[in-house]
Amino acid sequence: MDTRERLIESARELLWERGYVGTSPKAIQARSGVGQGSMYHHFAGKSDLALAAIDRSAEELRARADAAFAGPGTAMDRITAYFRLEREVLKGCPIGGLTQDPDVMADPRLRRPVEETFTWLTDRLAELLAEASNDRVNARATATALVAVLQGGYVLARAAGSVDVHTRAIDGALGLLAGYVASPQLCREGHLSGIRRP
């Protein structure tokens, strides 16, 4: 890994662990083994390096999601594969956690990749939900709810100190979703709330 990559990866780890304020230039230099002169050769300052680190985390999240969404099986299989991805739950989401950081949210440049990532994820899930349900459900609203469950699951799991809480949240969301798309007859009869009648 070259110097620039070490700086970005170190900043990513520290942002995830400590947030923006706790990610000082000295901490980044100590974690990366890169001196101050080299750091400022590659980045104008902490904000520029943080932006590169957040962009990298966002790219990684999208790449992992895309791999699951492009996998084999039905649309429901691919949605399930995404929600069942291995995650470091007790560390929280490296992107979602930034929404709790007032310094990141107050800076439009740092906030942008966070907002764009969640918009992208919601859009991709909505596309798959429309495919899975043949437009029997409000795909956009349901996708938003699923992203909220995933992110809220991190919060509940961290509060409880247990990964099991996150797993239960995902199990519950997927179970509810399966009810929406599994039975065309139920959907036609409107037995499930939120179903669009044909």
Side-chain angles (χ1 to χ4, degrees), residues 132-198:
S133 69
N134 292 321
D135 289 326
R136 292 189 302 266
V137 300
N138 183 329
R140 181 75 185 175
T142 305
T144 302
L146 287 173
V147 174
V149 168
L150 180 63
Q151 291 300 313
Y154 284 112
V155 174
L156 295 178
R158 295 187 76 184
S162 171
V163 174
D164 293 341
V165 178
H166 190 271
T167 302
R168 287 200 302 272
I170 297 303
D171 288 346
L174 292 176
L176 289 169
L177 182 59
Y180 275 90
V181 300
S183 174
Q185 182 180 355
L186 285 178
C187 292
R188 282 197 301 273
E189 294 172 359
H191 290 177
L192 295 172
S193 63
I195 301 295
R196 289 177 177 164
R197 292 178 183 271

Side-chain angles (χ1 to χ4, degrees), residues 106-118:
D107 186 327
R109 287 199 322 145
L110 299 180
R111 179 178 177 158
R112 174 193 52 76
V114 176
E115 182 179 3
E116 288 177 353
T117 298
F118 284 123

Side-chain angles (χ1 to χ4, degrees), residues 83-149:
F83 279 91
R84 297 290 188 205
L85 286 174
E86 195 73 29
R87 293 176 170 88
E88 294 186 66
V89 172
L90 295 183
K91 286 181 69 175
C93 175
I95 294 297
L98 294 171
T99 64
Q100 302 301 310
D101 193 315
D103 293 282
V104 172
M105 292 296 98
D107 186 327
R109 287 199 322 145
L110 299 180
R111 179 178 177 158
R112 174 193 52 76
V114 176
E115 182 179 3
E116 288 177 353
T117 298
F118 284 123
T119 298
W120 174 88
L121 179 58
T122 303
D123 289 345
R124 290 290 287 117
L125 282 168
E127 290 169 8
L128 288 170
L129 286 164
E131 179 184 336
S133 69
N134 292 321
D135 289 326
R136 292 189 302 266
V137 300
N138 183 329
R140 181 75 185 175
T142 305
T144 302
L146 287 173
V147 174
V149 168

